[in-house]
Amino acid sequence: MFYPIAIEAGDDNHAYGVTVPDLPGCFSAGDTLDEAIANAKEAICGHIELLIEMGEDIPPVSSVGSLARRTDYTGYTWAVVDIDITRLMGGSEKINVTLPKSLIDRIDRCVATRPEFKSRSGFLAQVALERLMKT
């Protein structure tokens, strides 16, 4: 998932501040812009791991466009951080799933052209997670 981050400009005396609007209470900082983004990824992973540990739902991800229109983020720079949430959710468990062959073929074609899914299981996990985050 691509998490939007809002970055407050730093200067010679202040670090770049990072806020993750979709994860209330998730903040980070860095002395350089690159460091701020890298630290934001670490903060997001830690925040999500804690939510999962506590049995909380992971909030849905907003679009950068909708967040950038908010007046409380005027003057911020925006970036997105790619987080593989399925890796944070704990160990894998093998299950047997029955699907129509034509659907499996379509999934496999999609996975072949979209490396972010990595595998058929990765695709199914990502799609299921996205759907669950919308409910």
Side-chain angles (χ1 to χ4, degrees), residues 49-58:
E49 284 175 333
L50 186 59
L51 288 173
I52 291 168
E53 239 177 69
M54 295 170 45
E56 302 275 336
D57 289 335
I58 300 168

Side-chain angles (χ1 to χ4, degrees), residues 2-122:
F2 291 99
Y3 276 88
I5 59 172
I7 306 167
E8 261 186 301
D11 58 32
D12 291 340
N13 299 318
H14 301 91
Y16 289 84
V18 179
T19 302
V20 186
D22 291 324
L23 299 172
C26 186
F27 302 96
S28 188
D31 290 330
T32 67
L33 190 55
D34 290 335
E35 187 178 282
I37 293 169
N39 290 346
K41 183 170 186 159
E42 190 175 313
I44 292 167
C45 288
H47 196 93
I48 291 171
E49 284 175 333
L50 186 59
L51 288 173
I52 291 168
E53 239 177 69
M54 295 170 45
E56 302 275 336
D57 289 335
I58 300 168
V61 175
S62 303
S63 71
V64 173
S66 67
L67 293 169
R69 286 191 293 274
R70 290 178 34 183
T71 57
D72 49 335
Y73 292 112
T74 301
Y76 283 68
T77 300
W78 291 92
V80 293
V81 179
D82 188 12
I83 305 293
D84 184 356
I85 293 177
T86 58
R87 292 179 154 228
L88 303 174
M89 298 184 84
S92 298
E93 184 175 330
K94 188 172 183 166
I95 62 170
N96 186 15
V97 176
T98 303
L99 298 170
K101 177 159 179 20
S102 62
L103 181 57
I104 293 170
D105 291 342
R106 289 182 67 190
I107 291 169
D108 289 345
R109 284 194 304 274
C110 180
V111 169
T113 60
R114 309 245 332 252
E116 67 267 23
F117 293 122
K118 297 181 180 82
S119 66
R120 185 187 295 159
S121 293

